[in-house]
Amino acid sequence: MAIDLEASWLEVLHDEFDKEYMVKLRQFLLEEKNAGYTVYPKNGDIFNAFKKTPLTQLKVVILGQDPYHGANQAHGLSFSVQKGINPPPSLKNIFKELQQDIPGFQIPSHGDLTEWAEQGVMMLNATLTVRAASPGSHQKKGWEIFTDTVIRKISEQKQGIVFLLWGKFAQAKAELIDAHKHHVLKAAHPSPYSADSGFFGCRHFSKTNEILTKEGKEPIDWQIH
């Protein structure tokens, strides 16, 4: 596992990589590789959420749970898939909500959300790796300790960040966030199993831009090109 963090993230997270849980996590990932398992995303993409969205430019955090476990899907950004891969159902529902929420939004031809990341939208999964075809296989191996620390650091060091918490798993992370300093928006998960229970119609994308504008920040162009 190559520790490839952008400089502003490395400054606040460098102590984590020598801690016991991270040493054990590295060992676990090595054992997975040595056992012949395929792990997603590829090594160079594990920390993509940090590389694409520096802490200094952070405006919005979208929390996910696990990387996609199919071939060529995951590339280190929650809910996003690589170009050439059909958007999974949850992402299709995100696009449907955008179409209803943002005037003129067009459903894109792919599901690569890198353009959001480059505008300050961090798409962070709680677990940053997964074994191929085995959802949840890398949970409780140490990643959650790391990503909970990331959320705490954002809460401590930044001001006015918009956190989008979709579904019960993401909403449980609200306790890590200082709601007096930040904006926490909650809705159902965009999965087909729950999107009709409060994700559709949540208007989180326009609400995020309203908040950013009030904060004197540039709103997000949600249109994927």
Side-chain angles (χ1 to χ4, degrees):
M1 179 178 69
I3 308 303
D4 189 8
L5 292 194
E6 181 275 334
S8 61
W9 283 113
L10 199 56
E11 191 175 329
V12 298
L13 294 170
H14 66 274
D15 288 347
E16 295 303 303
F17 295 99
D18 294 325
K19 291 183 177 177
E20 186 181 358
Y21 81 87
M22 188 61 78
V23 173
K24 287 181 177 176
L25 175 58
R26 276 204 197 96
Q27 184 61 35
F28 166 74
L29 292 172
L30 192 61
E31 287 167 3
E32 288 280 274
K33 185 179 176 184
N34 290 342
Y37 291 116
T38 299
V39 172
Y40 298 129
K42 67 181 183 184
N43 206 20
D45 287 344
I46 292 173
F47 294 104
N48 239 358
F50 301 86
K51 288 191 282 185
K52 300 293 184 186
T53 311
L55 181 61
T56 50
Q57 297 170 26
L58 184 66
K59 298 177 183 176
V60 182
V61 178
I62 299 177
L63 288 179
Q65 187 165 359
D66 238 22
Y68 296 122
H69 54 270
N72 300 315
Q73 289 183 306
H75 62 131
L77 307 177
S78 63
F79 295 102
S80 180
V81 288
Q82 298 182 63
K83 286 179 179 170
I85 299 296
N86 284 334
S90 291
L91 183 52
K92 285 181 178 174
N93 285 340
I94 289 170
F95 289 154
K96 283 181 189 174
E97 174 60 20
L98 275 158
Q99 198 172 35
Q100 295 300 311
D101 186 25
I102 302 294
F105 181 87
Q106 301 287 318
I107 302 284
S109 61
H110 62 88
D112 184 344
L113 307 180
T114 300
E115 290 177 39
W116 294 358
E118 290 171 343
Q119 295 178 74
V121 181
M122 186 182 203
M123 286 160 277
L124 179 67
N125 277 319
T127 304
L128 298 189
T129 57
V130 68
R131 186 191 296 173
S134 185
S137 49
H138 288 189
Q139 291 176 6
K140 298 182 173 60
K141 301 295 183 183
W143 277 129
E144 294 90 342
I145 302 172
F146 177 71
T147 53
D148 281 359
T149 301
V150 170
I151 296 166
R152 281 195 201 93
K153 294 282 188 185
I154 293 170
S155 182
E156 290 165 8
Q157 306 219 356
K158 302 292 285 187
Q159 185 87 29
I161 300 299
V162 183
F163 288 86
L164 304 185
L165 308 184
W166 299 334
K168 289 178 182 174
F169 179 86
Q171 289 167 19
K173 303 292 184 181
E175 65 182 28
L176 306 172
I177 303 161
D178 184 345
H180 299 293
K181 289 174 63 184
H182 302 285
H183 310 274
V184 178
L185 302 184
K186 297 178 182 179
H189 194 278
S191 156
Y193 300 106
S194 54
D196 285 324
S197 305
F199 179 76
F200 290 139
C202 71
R203 298 187 62 244
H204 275 189
F205 304 99
S206 61
K207 287 176 182 176
T208 293
N209 279 350
E210 287 167 14
I211 291 166
L212 292 176
T213 301
K214 281 181 187 172
E215 295 260 356
K217 298 173 185 174
E218 190 75 22
I220 306 301
D221 177 5
W222 296 107
Q223 182 64 58
I224 299 293
H225 302 94

